[in-house]
Amino acid sequence: MNLKNKTSKKGIFITFEGPECAGKTTQIALLKEYLSEKGKRVIATREPGGTEIGEQIRKIVKHLTGKDAVVDEAEVLLFAAGRAQHVKTVIKPAMDEGVVVISDRFADSTTAYQGYARGINRDFVRKLNEFATCGLKPDITIVLDMPAEEIQKRSSKRQETLFIEDRIESEEINFHRKVRNAFIKIAEEEPERVKIISAVQPIETIHAQIREILHAVEGL
């Protein structure tokens, strides 16, 4: 099976999606090491983030709370702004050089979090994603799936935000259920690109399943 996008780009674009605390960071690190050992040039990046502008947006959307917290409409626009900068200055240039780019989140997160969970018009979100990504789509997307109840258990122990309030992680459990269901729906709509793996498994088991999925991607 050839899952590679039929465009002129040379590199391969892999994205990881899923709810908060699903272990994306760990699996990306393992995959980067695995592909590097196979002789591939690999970079790992993240959204929001990946650029100086993106990292500033990350602080705004995730950690400004109370009266200073962004409203839903501002949130979706900020994510799009960070993504446009990320695509133009990091992802596309790397792929033009034949690099494998692994991103912790991309446009599917905006669809799931802002479109489905926040309730922002999904047709608008789709058009905004198309604009911000310059039409770029991942070759393969791994969704690490996890029940909302497990998210709450893990978030209380998460080192990244142990002493910092994270406004997205701290959303009500129903919000996280909507996000999870959204990712499942996205996978049902694009089964060739989007693959779901249970995150409630041993780390090495998940990594092995990811490697098996990537065997179908041309160039890997």
Side-chain angles (χ1 to χ4, degrees), residues 4-101:
K4 192 172 176 58
N5 287 342
K6 294 181 180 179
T7 70
S8 60
K9 65 186 178 58
K10 302 174 183 177
I12 295 171
F13 187 28
I14 303 167
T15 58
F16 277 72
E17 298 284 5
E20 308 299 310
C21 310
K24 296 187 303 300
T25 302
T26 298
Q27 291 303 327
I28 288 170
L30 288 172
L31 181 59
K32 182 181 179 183
E33 180 181 14
Y34 167 70
L35 293 176
S36 296
E37 289 175 351
K38 289 184 64 177
K40 305 295 182 182
R41 290 187 295 160
V42 187
I43 65 167
T45 187
R46 69 178 183 176
E47 290 195 358
T51 66
E52 181 58 34
I53 289 173
E55 292 299 331
Q56 293 301 318
I57 289 173
R58 186 182 188 88
K59 293 176 184 177
I60 292 169
V61 296
K62 288 179 71 67
H63 302 306
L64 280 182
T65 58
K67 66 180 180 62
D68 294 319
V70 296
V71 298
D72 294 350
E73 292 81 0
E75 182 182 78
V76 71
L77 294 173
L78 284 167
F79 278 127
R83 180 163 302 124
Q85 187 76 9
H86 195 206
V87 168
K88 279 294 194 73
T89 66
V90 176
I91 299 174
K92 280 200 167 184
M95 294 184 70
D96 286 343
E97 296 297 321
V99 175
V100 178
V101 179

